Amino acid sequence: MLRKWRLPAIVGFSISFLIAVAAGAQDAQLPTVTVAKPVVRDVIDADEFIGRFEAVDEVSVRSRVGGYLDRVFFTDGAMVKQGDKLFMIDQRPFTMALSQAEATLTSAESTLAYAEAQFKRTESLAGTGTLSVSKLDDDRRALLAAQANVRGAQAAADRARLDLEYTTITAPISGRVDRRLLSPGNLVQADQTVLTTIVSLDPIDFYFDVDERRVLAYARTARERGSALQEGAGSLSVLVTIADANEAPFEGNLDFSENRVDNQTGTMRLRARFSNPSLILQPGLFGRVEVEGSDTYQAILIPDEAIAADQNERVVYVVGEDGSVTTKPVRLGPRLHGYRVIRSGMTGDETIVVNGLMRVRPGVKVKPELIELPQEAAQSAEARQ
């Protein structure tokens, strides 16, 4: 009897072993994919625009007096402070003009002193009846004329002294000076010839154009903050990213908006101001600005690499507990914190394929390798630009 039961037992063991081996072989043939849970966190939507940096202050340096350029005191491209000497016009003609004006003033003051003394004598004699009243009137007229001549000579001397001061051209603002546009020896026309330009760098402004829909949204946000969009929307914070991927975004605040929408473009120009102590930001640079476009809300975030296309809609691949793959249509939002916001189509509890999309399709089974997504993904240089 024992021999009769031994053969079926051996056969049953062999079948179980073969099934296990087949299952193991089947698992080994399953495609391996990386899966993860979406990131769920509080976010604020950000609208993106392209704009350009401009200097807060920019001055074209001109001379207030004409003459031949004598000296240059700065190095091309240097930082200068307000009041620093930049150029000097040949001072010799202006020194001579001042000397002549001062001499004329001295002569006028001498004439005035004589007229005052003469008027006093005439006035005393006229009081005794020795001289006529007409003589007194003549001396009074001479005194008044001498006083006027002194005032005119004093004004001419002051003007000559001021012109001499104007021959030394100083920086009207602090900032970075451009190259000299004229070499010593050239003739400078008063109030016309541009000698160089100066731009301020810290702080620096950023201008960008916003469409009507977002203008209305920002204006509503400004009113909720008790301010107006034209007055900076309550210092609404913004971030600007420049072309250098090694530079972190710069933080600034809105501080101005134009007072009307452009009739031709349907946009309004806004301005944000940024602190620039390191002088990295330069006038004329392009940048990508992010403006807060919503209140804080809880969002579902997934990597862009986890999103596939199915004809005219976007889908994600969801992996079940048994390893089977299904698709879920989703509606996409903006990029935030290195991820893509999912507006609808997901609850946040799904396990989705984040790497290996080319090896999956609906209905197949996969071998998932679970990872955890960080709260903020590192952005690539392309994404930041």
Side-chain angles (χ1 to χ4, degrees):
M1 295 296 294
L2 293 176
R3 292 181 178 178
K4 293 181 179 179
W5 287 101
R6 185 178 302 171
L7 183 58
I10 294 174
V11 173
F13 174 78
S14 300
I15 294 174
S16 300
F17 176 77
L18 293 174
I19 293 174
V21 171
Q26 184 177 3
D27 289 341
Q29 294 176 357
L30 293 179
T32 302
V33 295
T34 304
V35 299
K37 295 285 188 181
V39 175
V40 180
R41 59 173 294 181
D42 291 337
V43 299
I44 299 176
D45 282 350
D47 299 322
E48 289 190 353
F49 306 95
I50 300 297
R52 187 191 292 271
F53 286 99
E54 293 186 15
V56 175
D57 297 309
E58 181 175 355
V59 177
S60 296
V61 180
R62 293 177 170 86
S63 175
R64 297 189 180 187
V65 294
Y68 288 92
L69 186 62
D70 186 30
R71 299 176 63 186
V72 179
F73 296 100
F74 66 92
T75 302
D76 291 351
M79 293 294 296
V80 296
K81 294 182 179 179
Q82 184 177 7
D84 287 352
K85 290 196 298 184
L86 301 179
F87 301 94
M88 180 178 287
I89 305 294
D90 186 3
Q91 293 184 334
R92 290 172 296 179
F94 299 93
T95 302
M96 295 174 59
L98 176 60
S99 298
Q100 183 178 0
E102 289 177 341
T104 303
L105 175 61
T106 301
S107 176
E109 289 174 342
S110 176
T111 302
L112 175 61
Y114 173 78
E116 288 178 343
Q118 183 69 20
F119 176 73
K120 289 180 180 179
R121 286 193 295 269
T122 304
E123 188 178 30
S124 62
L125 293 175
T128 62
T130 305
L131 293 177
S132 64
V133 177
S134 61
K135 175 62 175 173
L136 178 63
D137 292 339
D138 290 340
D139 288 346
R140 181 181 290 109
R141 183 173 62 252
L143 175 61
L144 294 176
Q147 291 174 341
N149 289 335
V150 168
R151 289 195 297 270
Q154 182 66 58
D158 292 342
R159 177 66 188 186
R161 189 174 297 106
L162 185 61
D163 287 344
L164 180 60
E165 292 179 3
Y166 284 158
T167 59
T168 301
I169 303 166
T170 60
I173 62 172
S174 299
R176 189 174 298 281
V177 66
D178 196 8
R179 65 182 178 88
R180 62 182 185 183
L181 301 178
L182 210 63
S183 298
N186 283 284
L187 179 63
V188 177
Q189 298 289 339
D191 300 323
Q192 296 183 15
T193 306
V194 178
L195 301 175
T196 189
T197 58
I198 304 175
V199 294
S200 63
L201 295 178
D202 185 22
I204 191 168
D205 288 336
F206 184 83
Y207 288 88
F208 58 100
D209 296 330
V210 177
D211 59 87
E212 291 184 17
R213 181 176 62 85
R214 291 183 175 89
V215 165
L216 295 174
Y218 298 156
R220 182 175 61 252
T221 301
R223 289 193 298 270
E224 293 172 354
R225 297 188 177 196
S227 180
L229 181 61
Q230 285 74 16
E231 298 174 359
S235 295
L236 188 67
S237 61
V238 299
L239 292 175
V240 162
T241 303
I242 59 177
D244 187 356
N246 295 321
E247 292 293 341
F250 296 86
E251 296 185 10
N253 298 95
L254 283 181
D255 74 329
F256 169 76
S257 169
E258 292 183 344
N259 57 5
R260 62 180 179 179
V261 176
D262 188 271
N263 294 333
Q264 296 182 348
T265 64
T267 61
M268 180 182 288
R269 180 154 295 181
L270 275 63
R271 183 182 73 193
R273 182 157 292 181
F274 293 83
S275 177
N276 189 31
S278 59
L279 307 183
I280 296 175
L281 304 176
Q282 299 290 319
L285 283 179
F286 280 101
R288 186 186 302 274
V289 63
E290 292 185 2
V291 186
E292 294 181 5
S294 72
D295 295 327
T296 302
Y297 68 97
Q298 193 173 69
I300 300 171
L301 308 176
I302 65 173
D304 277 333
E305 295 78 9
I307 303 170
D310 184 7
Q311 295 183 356
N312 61 343
E313 64 181 2
R314 296 293 184 267
V315 298
V316 295
Y317 291 103
V318 180
V319 179
E321 295 182 358
D322 59 350
S324 59
V325 177
T326 58
T327 59
K328 272 194 173 184
V330 293
R331 185 167 66 89
L332 306 181
R335 278 184 60 88
L336 296 175
H337 306 290
Y339 296 110
R340 180 68 60 182
V341 175
I342 301 301
R343 292 297 193 197
S344 63
M346 295 181 63
T347 62
D349 297 328
E350 298 88 349
T351 301
I352 62 172
V353 178
V354 296
N355 192 5
L357 268 65
M358 299 299 295
R359 297 190 294 271
V360 300
R361 64 181 184 274
V364 303
K365 288 190 176 184
V366 296
K367 183 180 178 181
E369 292 183 354
L370 183 64
I371 64 170
E372 183 177 354
L373 297 176
Q375 288 292 303
E376 186 157 348
Q379 300 185 45
S380 63
E382 292 79 6
R384 291 179 58 182
Q385 293 177 4

